[in-house]
Amino acid sequence: ATEDGALVAVEALLRWHDAERGGLVPPSEFIPVAEETGLIESIGDWVIGAVCAQQVAWAARGFTPQISVNVSPRQLRRVDFVGGVREHLRATGADPGRIIIELTESAMQQEHHDAESVLRELHDVGLRLALDDFGAGYSSLSRLREMPMETLKIDRAFLREVPENGEAAAIVTAILRLARALGRTAVAEGVETEAQRDFLDEQQCPLLQGFLLGRPMPAAAVEALMAGSPA
């Protein structure tokens, strides 16, 4: 959401309903297993297809939010990854300019230069790119300047102690200044309190994300939320 509360983007989150357990299995339980077994590749491909289809369905009803989708290091390593994304875009007719591919800072470090070539291909397709959990890793600022990343998502760990902890607040302020200097858009993740939102407003953070603004919900509920969001 923007500072004035307008909903401009959503993030695709995977949830698993296990009938045998009678509820939702947390992603913290099944995503690591999917990563270890390689299932994350097929799961991730399905999610990208679902995001493309959802973008088209919402656009047909007059809703055009940016939709973020997370991509794992294993997906990046696949030689057919970009081709698969192109095929989903072609098959659904989705607008790549409304879809944001999110990669974590740690994933970028693991993949080094191979990832950068994939990023440029995705950027050339027309997709937007975001660096997730920014500040939690050890990004080279020279590499950051060269990568086609439009968005920096500030790691939620920094915001947990804002504004009470002066050092945490200083880090968030520094990242916001860095983003502005590099011409990137900053998103503060994990906004859960009014005090955090007030601090971010004071620091002119352009975009906020977190439970204070909206919790994970099905697509139909997101649509209702968009219908009530300020223009």
Side-chain angles (χ1 to χ4, degrees):
T2 57
E3 295 170 81
D4 64 1
L7 193 157
V8 296
V10 294
E11 181 174 344
L13 301 174
L14 201 59
R15 295 294 182 266
W16 174 18
H17 185 269
D18 186 347
E20 292 184 8
R21 291 174 53 167
L24 292 175
V25 181
S28 58
E29 288 188 22
F30 70 82
I31 292 296
V33 176
E35 288 276 6
E36 290 170 13
T37 59
L39 282 172
I40 195 67
E41 295 176 24
S42 55
I43 292 172
D45 181 69
W46 177 85
V47 171
I48 290 172
V51 164
C52 288
Q54 188 64 69
Q55 192 278 319
V56 172
W58 274 340
R61 293 195 283 277
F63 300 114
T64 55
Q66 298 281 344
I67 308 177
S68 292
V69 57
N70 296 283
V71 169
S72 81
R74 291 193 68 133
Q75 288 174 273
L76 283 187
R77 285 196 290 268
R78 290 187 61 94
V79 295
D80 60 348
F81 173 64
V82 177
V85 173
R86 284 198 184 100
E87 178 56 26
H88 282 305
L89 291 168
R90 186 204 62 78
T92 60
D95 177 1
R98 309 307 301 179
I99 297 173
I100 302 171
I101 300 293
E102 290 193 18
L103 301 109
T104 63
E105 199 172 358
S106 58
M108 291 300 301
Q109 282 192 298
Q110 291 175 34
E111 303 307 312
H112 297 292
H113 297 294
D114 292 341
E116 290 184 27
S117 63
V118 173
L119 292 183
R120 297 198 180 282
E121 286 187 71
L122 293 171
H123 187 261
D124 290 343
V125 169
L127 295 156
R128 301 177 67 83
L129 302 172
L131 191 56
D132 199 11
D133 300 340
F134 183 71
Y138 301 93
S139 282
S140 160
L141 293 182
S142 61
R143 285 185 63 211
L144 178 60
R145 185 183 63 180
E146 295 167 358
M147 288 188 297
M149 293 278 185
E150 293 94 350
T151 303
L152 301 180
K153 303 190 76 174
I154 304 171
D155 187 77
R156 67 185 63 243
F158 297 121
L159 208 63
R160 288 193 193 108
E161 300 178 50
V162 170
E164 296 83 9
N165 185 308
E167 289 184 353
I171 290 173
V172 172
T173 299
I175 294 175
L176 289 171
R177 288 176 178 168
L178 174 64
R180 284 194 288 268
L182 293 175
R184 307 298 203 270
T185 299
V187 179
E189 296 186 286
V191 182
E192 297 184 0
T193 69
E194 291 289 351
Q196 290 171 339
R197 177 157 64 179
D198 291 343
F199 169 81
L200 293 166
D201 286 347
E202 289 172 7
Q203 298 302 318
Q204 299 180 320
C205 181
L207 295 173
L208 315 181
Q209 176 179 342
F211 284 179
L212 181 67
L213 307 165
R215 291 178 175 269
M217 61 187 75
V222 175
E223 188 169 321
L225 194 63
M226 288 189 292
S229 175

